[in-house]
Amino acid sequence: MQTTRQLPAKILDLLRNAPKASGGVHSYLYRVAAFLKPWCSEDESFQLLKQATANCGRRVPDREIWQAVRNSKNDWKPGHTGNLSLPKLTPLEIELASWPRRDYEAIERIAADGFSRADLWEHSPVRLEDETTDAESMIEALFPGDPLICVGRKVHAARTAHRSTFRGRFGALSYVVPSAMSKPIGKTQDGQDSARSLQNCGPRQWHVLECDFKQEGEIGRILETHSLTVQDLCAAVLWHLAHERPMVCAVHSGGKSIHGWYPAHGVTEARTRAFHRLAVSLGCDPITHNPVQWVRLPGGTRYPSKVRQSVQYFNPAALPDSG
């Protein structure tokens, strides 16, 4: 069986950074399958791609992976050990491969401070005790006025309309685009009409960081050494990043991850990218650098589990219009 240690670093980066659902998983499979042809058998490529997309946010059928493995275009033969001439990367693949690796020494220094999810709650200036009103009050604070916003109960059920259209229903929704939209419908990169596309997304309004860890390898050791849970470490990382840019709220995904919301309106793209690169080095997901990437709606309901996406931290003083 081909081991990942024998693969080129560029391919390893792609395998470690599969896009999330709606971020181009299908095209990713074909591109990376082509990269793997010189190095792996079809069975080996299938297993690597299945593992890479296991947590992408949607079910990836075996049939879809096999089609990519068998139909991707590359003239190299399996087992070839010469120089690898890689096909041209898409912009998304270039973006994903360019993010920094995790800095485990820095992550352990943060863990050593002992900050926990409970501490995040204790540090919150406002505690939203009534879960039934979390979503309404949070969306009103994060998107004042009546802007166009894009929300969804499911990944593939985006709808863009004025905030007032959804009043009273935010608590039942799972996802939101963290910036106001410029128009109800835009064109995707493949020319399709969509309520959620870069074309109809307004200026970046919020910089949302998704922090999540698997309790294995070096992270597993750090958690055990400092007696922390995955969510404790997520909270500690987001709190550490709040010293770089004020954090307005932190949202539990209803699963393992926590999402931190930081103001981004008026911040240059260069500064935004630098902040996100720091966050990625500390374990945050690079995918939320995409302005139209779904994030968990604060106070909403995770689909299909119906678990509340509770607000763990809220600091209205850090809102951009708070004076």
Side-chain angles (χ1 to χ4, degrees):
M1 174 68 181
Q2 171 76 40
T3 66
T4 55
R5 287 177 295 182
Q6 296 171 311
L7 295 173
K10 185 172 290 187
I11 298 180
L12 290 175
D13 284 337
L14 290 174
L15 288 171
R16 292 169 182 147
N17 292 286
K20 297 295 186 182
S22 75
V25 173
H26 187 72
S27 59
Y28 165 88
L29 289 171
Y30 274 79
R31 183 67 65 183
V32 181
F35 292 175
L36 289 170
K37 280 185 180 294
W39 303 89
C40 302
S41 69
E42 288 188 349
D43 286 341
E44 291 166 347
S45 293
F46 171 83
Q47 293 298 332
L48 289 171
L49 290 170
K50 186 176 178 68
Q51 181 179 356
T53 56
N55 297 308
C56 73
R58 73 167 174 87
R59 178 177 172 271
V60 182
D62 288 356
R63 175 177 53 81
E64 183 179 4
I65 301 174
W66 277 118
Q67 286 177 342
V69 169
R70 289 166 177 162
N71 299 329
S72 57
K73 304 299 183 183
N74 193 308
D75 293 334
W76 291 75
K77 302 298 183 183
H80 192 292
T81 57
N83 293 327
L84 179 63
S85 178
L86 296 176
K88 184 179 179 181
L89 291 170
T90 66
L92 174 63
E93 290 161 352
I94 293 172
E95 177 78 4
L96 291 174
S98 67
W99 292 106
R101 297 179 182 275
R102 284 183 176 178
D103 184 342
Y104 289 106
E105 291 185 3
I107 294 172
E108 179 146 30
R109 288 195 295 271
I110 293 171
D113 288 339
F115 193 90
S116 68
R117 178 181 173 184
D119 292 320
L120 186 66
W121 174 258
E122 291 296 330
H123 281 73
S124 180
V126 174
R127 298 178 188 173
L128 302 177
E129 305 283 357
D130 184 359
E131 289 190 344
T132 63
T133 61
D134 273 3
E136 299 296 326
S137 59
M138 290 304 303
I139 292 297
E140 182 177 0
L142 296 170
F143 299 95
D146 196 22
L148 288 169
I149 61 173
C150 183
V151 296
R153 181 167 172 258
K154 304 177 184 178
V155 168
H156 299 295
R159 184 183 175 194
T160 294
H162 288 282
R163 181 171 69 86
S164 57
T165 304
F166 304 108
R167 185 172 292 122
R169 290 183 281 167
F170 288 112
L173 300 173
S174 297
Y175 300 105
V176 62
V177 171
S179 296
M181 310 301 280
S182 61
K183 53 186 179 180
I185 298 293
K187 295 286 187 183
T188 63
Q189 292 182 354
D190 58 2
Q192 300 298 311
D193 288 341
S194 176
R196 183 172 69 97
S197 72
L198 286 172
Q199 192 187 66
N200 71 321
C201 184
R204 193 187 295 270
Q205 190 171 352
W206 293 101
H207 195 152
V208 179
L209 299 175
E210 179 182 2
C211 196
D212 191 7
F213 296 99
K214 292 183 179 180
Q215 196 165 352
E216 59 187 28
E218 187 65 7
I219 291 297
R221 184 196 64 77
I222 291 172
L223 294 174
E224 182 177 359
T225 298
H226 300 283
S227 301
L228 298 175
T229 67
V230 166
Q231 291 179 8
D232 289 335
L233 186 56
C234 291
V237 167
L238 294 175
W239 185 251
H240 174 83
L241 290 164
H243 293 85
E244 299 290 331
R245 186 178 297 183
M247 183 167 62
V248 171
C249 71
V251 181
H252 179 227
S253 69
K256 294 186 300 178
S257 66
I258 299 178
H259 292 206
W261 288 60
Y262 305 79
H265 184 70
V267 180
T268 66
E269 193 60 26
R271 288 181 58 200
T272 294
R273 183 173 176 81
F275 181 59
H276 207 106
R277 286 183 65 81
L278 172 62
V280 170
S281 74
L282 298 177
C284 294
D285 195 329
I287 200 67
T288 57
H289 189 258
N290 180 353
V292 293
Q293 176 63 33
W294 279 135
V295 298
R296 295 291 171 177
L297 192 149
T301 302
R302 185 181 179 96
Y303 178 85
S305 67
K306 298 183 179 181
V307 174
R308 180 67 60 185
Q309 297 165 179
S310 60
V311 177
Q312 304 290 295
Y313 175 90
F314 181 43
N315 180 17
L319 288 166
D321 61 346
S322 61

